[in-house]
Amino acid sequence: MTPQARLRRIRYWLVFFVIGLVLSGVTAFPLVTELRWVDGLLREDWVPAPAALVDFIGTVRTGAETADRDFPFLAYGTDWLAFAHLVIAMAFYGPLRDPVRNLWVIHWGMLCCVAVVPLALIAAPLRGLPWWWIPIDISFGLFGIVPLLIVRRHILALAAAEATPAVPAPTPAPA
C-alpha cells in the first residue's frame, strides 16, 4: 500500500471515530427528550423489546423527568459529559494532521477505551444499574478501540515506510 493510500485510510478511520465521539456527545444534551422517545418506541407493540429493558428505560425516564422538573441543575452534569466527548474528539485533530507524530493520541484513546471496562464494572453496580446493562456500557469501549487499533497499525506501517530510506535506482555502468 502506498503511503498516500495508508494516510487516506488513517484519516478515514479517524473521521469515523471522531463522528462517533461527536454523536455520543451531542446526544447527551437532550437526554430527557431522547428518553421519552425511546421509552415510547419500546412500548410499541411492533417493537420486540424484553420487558426488563422496557421497565428499566421507563424507570430511567421517570428519574430523568423528575430530576429535570425538580432539580434541573443535575442536567448540568450531562452537559459536561457532552462537552467532554466533544473535547476528546478535538484531540484527534493532531493525528489527522500528522499521524506519525501524534501516535500518542491514538494510544491515549485506546487507554480511554480500555478504561471503560473497569468503570462500568465498578460504577454500574454502585449506581443500581441492572447487570445486563454493564455489557452495553462496556461495548462502547470495545467498539471504540477497533478503529483505533486499525489506525495504530497503519500509522506504525507509515512510520516504518518513512524511516526506510528509498533505494536509489541503479546507475548504469560506464561504457
Side-chain angles (χ1 to χ4, degrees), residues 49-69:
L53 176 63
V54 175
D55 292 343
F56 178 65
I57 295 299
T59 300
V60 172
R61 174 187 174 175
T62 300
E65 287 176 337
T66 302
D68 195 49
R69 182 187 66 239

Side-chain angles (χ1 to χ4, degrees), residues 41-54:
L41 180 68
L42 291 176
R43 293 178 189 283
E44 293 289 331
D45 290 335
W46 58 272
V47 177
L53 176 63
V54 175

Side-chain angles (χ1 to χ4, degrees), residues 73-86:
F73 56 86
L74 290 176
Y76 193 53
T78 56
D79 294 341
W80 279 106
L81 169 71
F83 177 73
H85 278 81
L86 300 175

Side-chain angles (χ1 to χ4, degrees), residues 65-149:
E65 287 176 337
T66 302
D68 195 49
R69 182 187 66 239
D70 298 342
F71 310 102
F73 56 86
L74 290 176
Y76 193 53
T78 56
D79 294 341
W80 279 106
L81 169 71
F83 177 73
H85 278 81
L86 300 175
V87 170
I88 292 167
M90 286 188 284
F92 288 89
Y93 176 70
L96 278 167
R97 287 194 59 220
D98 188 346
V100 173
R101 184 171 168 208
N102 292 290
L103 179 61
W104 70 272
V105 176
I106 305 306
H107 289 153
W108 170 76
M110 292 167 63
L111 286 171
C112 291
C113 288
V114 170
V116 166
V117 176
L119 177 68
L121 291 172
I122 295 167
L126 288 175
R127 300 295 183 193
L129 275 76
W131 66 268
W132 49 265
W133 194 263
I134 296 171
I136 294 170
D137 283 342
I138 288 173
S139 72
F140 285 96
L142 296 178
F143 289 128
I145 203 169
V146 170
L148 295 179
L149 286 167

